[in-house]
Amino acid sequence: HLERAIARLAALIGDLRRSRFSETAPVGVPDEQPPYLNAVVVGTCALPARVLLDRLLAIEQDAGVDILHACGG
């Protein structure tokens, strides 16, 4: 999922760079879950903040992320 998300981010963010992938244990979630796989990306973007946020949330939603559940809600 991360490689696919990063490919979609590249369409929004110029000069995209990313960290190595890092596996971390879930913290503060109600159920047992497998480790999370994380990465950091940086780059430049001319989109307004709200538009960028909406597009980032769409990438998560398309990947099947339930943000309320992921945050323990």
Side-chain angles (χ1 to χ4, degrees):
H1 290 290
L2 287 180
E3 290 290 358
R4 198 170 348 164
I6 290 168
R8 290 187 61 189
L9 285 172
L12 303 173
I13 300 173
D15 192 27
L16 185 80
R17 294 172 305 223
R18 74 160 176 90
S19 67
R20 291 180 285 168
F21 295 144
S22 174
E23 194 173 279
T24 58
V27 175
V29 293
D31 318 338
E32 269 197 47
Q33 296 185 21
Y36 295 135
L37 192 57
N38 299 286
V40 174
V41 296
V42 296
T44 59
C45 182
L47 294 173
R50 184 64 211 198
V51 173
L52 178 59
L53 176 60
D54 289 343
R55 294 196 183 165
L56 296 173
L57 291 173
I59 292 170
E60 286 187 332
Q61 185 176 21
D62 291 348
V65 174
D66 178 355
I67 194 65
L68 290 177
H69 185 261
C71 292

